[in-house]
Amino acid sequence: MAAQAKVFINSKTLESAQTTQYTAVSVRARIDKFTLTNQDNVARAVSVNIVPSGGSAGASNLVLKSKNLLPGQTYECPEIVGQLLEPGDFISTLAPAASSVTCRANGFEIS
């Protein structure tokens, strides 16, 4: 079994539609850091799902529901850090307005 450090989500602005950001393809993955930053001048709420392989984002797999971020606030998401993804599982996000919240995530892929 080998573990390799990996950036799961390069720094990017989140979309205003439910969007897959990372999929554990043929590996298990452990999230070690997950950061959200509100770049806007008003508060924004962000949701993050960890979705089982073959599933779709919904209430049953929300791990961060409508987290309100103040203007300029950075949040390190302790709800997400340490989560394990099985092969085919994926991270999906939803931001209220495009170009308002940036995200970055990294961890280890285990093969």
Side-chain angles (χ1 to χ4, degrees), residues 1-64:
M1 190 178 305
Q4 180 175 340
K6 173 141 180 151
V7 175
F8 297 150
I9 305 168
N10 280 308
S11 293
K12 67 169 288 193
T13 326
L14 296 180
E15 298 81 1
S16 60
Q18 192 77 47
T19 304
T20 298
Q21 303 295 346
Y22 167 79
T23 302
V25 178
S26 301
V27 294
R28 295 174 77 200
R30 186 186 75 215
I31 302 167
D32 284 345
K33 184 100 171 170
F34 198 100
T35 305
L36 297 167
T37 302
N38 182 358
Q39 303 293 342
D40 210 341
N41 58 1
V42 297
R44 297 291 183 184
V46 180
S47 295
V48 179
N49 299 68
I50 296 180
V51 184
S53 180
S56 58
S60 65
N61 49 46
L62 271 168
V63 291
L64 185 67

Side-chain angles (χ1 to χ4, degrees), residues 93-104:
T93 60
L94 176 62
S99 303
S100 62
V101 177
T102 57
C103 176
R104 180 170 168 91

Side-chain angles (χ1 to χ4, degrees), residues 51-76:
V51 184
S53 180
S56 58
S60 65
N61 49 46
L62 271 168
V63 291
L64 185 67
K65 181 180 180 182
S66 300
K67 173 63 179 171
N68 194 46
L69 301 174
L70 299 174
Q73 180 183 6
T74 297
Y75 184 66
E76 298 210 5

